């Protein structure tokens, strides 16, 4: 009888310990913030690094998307000692979050990303990504990828995401584009490469499926056409570059559906701007975004010409050149006239003698 009582006490103790551990785990598990949608879970940022403690979450099975944000305290007072960091997004964290189809993790000093094959949407902008891990044997389902504001980003492995429709690579300090990087992306529609360090691009590097292509805020001096046709392209943005010459009559026929060709803040002379705008007007294509008032606010050394801002020095250089030419021509005429008059007077003088 004593043995039975001892066994009973033992199993009761074990049962109570299991309940206690489960209760503590449930208390420690992170929950979605109040106000989260049925399919979208918003979580407060936490510390995570592969090989360290695995975080626990209490997330409904109906959730398909996870968004991680800083706590209100961190957003109000920036303190590097209290800010949480997710250093990696790997298969372990993906599993703990319930295998979401969409993930948004910004500004967490993340350095490594392992993209799950089934993921559809990923926003890893404003991080410090140095490694993108992929399995070349897997068919990735990813449709949307935002890697903006990741300095020194290695973009070579992005080519494995062949089903991408939107790709954002702005402000990544890119100086060149690897050959055939975008070739497999036959469904790519939106591509942003703004705020980088590109000096030249060959348009044949980009898929003809594009509807939007942004190169604004680079160091572009020329664009090679390459004979490619963009049958669906609607917006091409080359604003704020170093482009001084552009043959609009060559590129515009290659994009028959173009609606907006943004050209402001390039070192173009007045005659070049007139040539481009005239060709755009003839094809009913706008050269500035009427929905973006910021494009109409010029700096002190800029002027508005044909609705957009250009450097005053560059635009006026044509007139200055013509003025200089006119002055030189006038001086030459005067000198030639004076020389001719002197010759006539000398001849008359000789005859009188």
């Amino acid at each position: 009888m004593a043995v039975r009582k001892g066994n009973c006490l033992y199993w009761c103790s074990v049962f109570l310990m299991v309940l206690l551990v489960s209760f503590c785990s449930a208390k420690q598990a992170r929950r979605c913030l109040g106000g989260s949608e049925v399919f979208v879970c918003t979580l407060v940022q936490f510390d995570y690094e592969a090989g360290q403690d695995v975080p626990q979450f209490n997330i409904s099975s109906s959730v398909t998307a996870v968004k991680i944000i800083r706590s209100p305290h961190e957003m109000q007072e920036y303190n590097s000692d209290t800010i949480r960091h997710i250093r990696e997004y790997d298969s372990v964290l993906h599993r703990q979050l319930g295998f979401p189809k969409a993930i948004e993790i910004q500004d967490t000093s993340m350095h490594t990303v392992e993209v799950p094959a089934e993921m559809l949407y990923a926003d890893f902008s404003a991080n410090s990504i140095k490694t993108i891990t992929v399995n070349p044997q897997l068919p990735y389902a990813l449709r949307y990828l935002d890697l903006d504001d990741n300095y020194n980003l290695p973009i070579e492995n992005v080519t494995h995401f062949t089903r991408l429709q939107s790709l954002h690579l702005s402000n990544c300090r890119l100086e060149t584009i690897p050959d055939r990087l975008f070739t497999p992306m036959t469904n790519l529609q939106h591509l942003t490469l703004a705020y980088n360090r590109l000096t030249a691009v060959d348009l044949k590097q980009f898929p003809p499926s594009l509807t939007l292509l942004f190169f604004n805020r680079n160091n572009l001096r020329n664009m090679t056409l390459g004979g490619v046709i963009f049958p669906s392209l609607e917006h091409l943005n080359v604003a704020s570059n170093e482009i001084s010459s552009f043959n609009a009559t060559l590129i515009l026929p290659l994009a028959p559906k173009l609606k907006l060709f943004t050209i402001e803040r390039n070192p173009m002379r007045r005659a070049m701007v007139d040539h481009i705008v005239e060709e755009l007007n003839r094809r009913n294509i706008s050269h500035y975004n009427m929905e973006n008032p910021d494009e109409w606010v010029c700096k002190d050394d800029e002027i508005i010409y044909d609705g957009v801002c250009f450097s005053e020095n560059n635009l006026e250089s044509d007139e200055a050149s013509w003025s200089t030419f006119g002055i030189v021509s006038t001086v030459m005429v005067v000198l030639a006239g004076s020389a001719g008059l002197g010759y006539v007077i000398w001849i008359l003088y000789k005859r009188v003698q």
Side-chain angles (χ1 to χ4, degrees):
M1 196 73 176
V3 174
R4 289 184 180 180
K5 286 183 179 180
N7 288 339
C8 181
L9 288 172
Y10 171 77
W11 287 112
C12 286
S13 299
V14 170
F15 181 70
L16 287 174
M17 288 182 65
V18 170
L19 285 179
L20 183 61
V21 170
S22 300
F23 176 76
C24 292
S25 298
K27 291 287 286 184
Q28 292 177 357
R30 295 171 174 83
R31 297 176 179 272
C32 304
L33 292 179
S36 294
E37 300 178 26
V38 176
F39 302 107
V40 182
C41 173
T42 302
L43 293 168
V44 173
Q45 195 161 299
F46 49 89
D47 285 325
Y48 176 73
E49 188 163 357
Q52 304 299 320
D53 293 338
V54 178
Q56 303 294 317
F57 303 95
N58 187 355
I59 300 177
S60 169
S61 59
S62 62
V63 169
T64 58
V66 173
K67 179 178 181 179
I68 298 174
I69 65 171
R70 286 184 178 177
S71 68
H73 174 72
E74 287 181 349
M75 287 187 282
Q76 289 176 2
E77 289 187 23
Y78 183 87
N79 187 335
S80 58
D81 295 330
T82 60
I83 287 182
R84 307 297 182 183
H85 295 292
I86 302 173
R87 302 295 186 182
E88 302 171 60
Y89 190 85
D90 59 4
S91 58
V92 175
L93 182 56
H94 183 62
R95 181 193 66 226
Q96 295 301 102
L97 291 171
F99 302 99
K101 297 292 186 181
I103 188 73
E104 184 175 319
I105 308 177
Q106 302 174 347
D107 197 15
T108 68
S109 300
M110 184 183 299
H111 56 72
T112 302
V113 168
E114 180 183 349
V115 179
E118 72 278 7
M119 184 166 283
L120 299 175
Y121 177 105
D123 184 345
F124 297 118
S125 58
N127 282 293
S128 303
I129 297 175
K130 294 179 175 58
T131 304
I132 300 175
T133 304
V134 297
N135 184 343
Q137 307 303 320
L138 292 179
Y140 287 90
L142 201 62
R143 301 291 195 273
Y144 179 100
L145 178 60
D146 190 340
L147 294 171
D148 285 353
D149 302 301
N150 279 280
Y151 300 150
N152 304 315
L153 177 74
I155 61 174
E156 290 77 9
N157 281 346
V158 172
T159 194
H160 293 284
F161 308 131
T162 59
R163 300 182 185 180
L164 277 176
Q165 296 176 353
S166 294
L167 176 59
H168 300 280
L169 296 170
S170 295
N171 201 24
C172 295
R173 296 182 180 174
L174 301 178
E175 296 182 359
T176 59
I177 298 173
D179 290 338
R180 303 183 64 80
L181 178 71
F182 305 114
T183 302
M185 303 178 191
T186 56
N187 297 316
L188 191 62
Q189 298 177 14
H190 291 184
L191 175 60
T192 60
L193 290 160
Y195 291 87
N196 281 300
R197 299 174 178 178
L198 301 173
T199 57
V201 293
D202 189 341
L203 292 182
K204 71 181 179 182
Q205 292 180 290
F206 304 96
S209 56
L210 288 171
T211 61
L212 179 149
L213 181 57
F214 279 16
F215 293 117
N216 52 303
R217 297 280 182 176
N218 275 275
N219 301 316
L220 291 180
R221 293 184 179 276
N222 58 75
M223 298 174 64
T224 304
L225 301 181
V228 67
I229 296 178
F230 296 95
S232 302
L233 189 63
E234 296 182 356
H235 188 182
L236 176 60
N237 191 333
V238 298
S240 300
N241 277 283
E242 300 297 327
I243 300 173
S244 59
S245 178
F246 198 90
N247 194 333
T249 58
L250 288 180
I251 190 172
L252 295 181
L254 303 179
K257 291 187 179 180
L258 197 64
K259 298 177 181 177
L260 179 58
F261 181 30
T262 316
I263 61 172
E264 79 269 5
R265 292 189 168 94
N266 276 287
M268 298 178 180
R269 294 187 176 184
R270 191 181 300 267
M272 177 56 61
V273 176
D274 289 341
H275 156 70
I276 296 175
V277 172
E278 180 181 356
E279 191 65 23
L280 291 173
N281 289 340
R282 192 171 69 84
R283 298 174 181 271
N284 294 318
I285 301 172
S286 177
H287 59 282
Y288 61 91
N289 190 350
M290 291 181 288
E291 297 179 357
N292 186 6
D294 291 341
E295 294 184 5
W296 312 334
V297 180
C298 298
K299 301 176 183 177
D300 293 338
D301 59 344
E302 295 177 333
I303 60 173
I304 290 185
Y305 185 69
D306 274 328
V308 291
C309 300
F310 287 100
S311 168
E312 186 174 4
N313 292 335
N314 287 315
L315 277 181
E316 299 301 331
S317 61
D318 278 351
E319 294 182 0
S321 298
W322 280 108
S323 298
T324 303
F325 176 75
I327 294 172
V328 172
S329 298
T330 302
V331 171
M332 293 295 291
V333 169
V334 170
L335 290 175
S338 300
L341 180 60
Y343 179 75
V344 171
I345 294 174
W346 183 77
I347 292 295
L348 292 176
Y349 174 75
K350 282 290 189 179
R351 287 180 180 179
V352 170
Q353 288 184 339

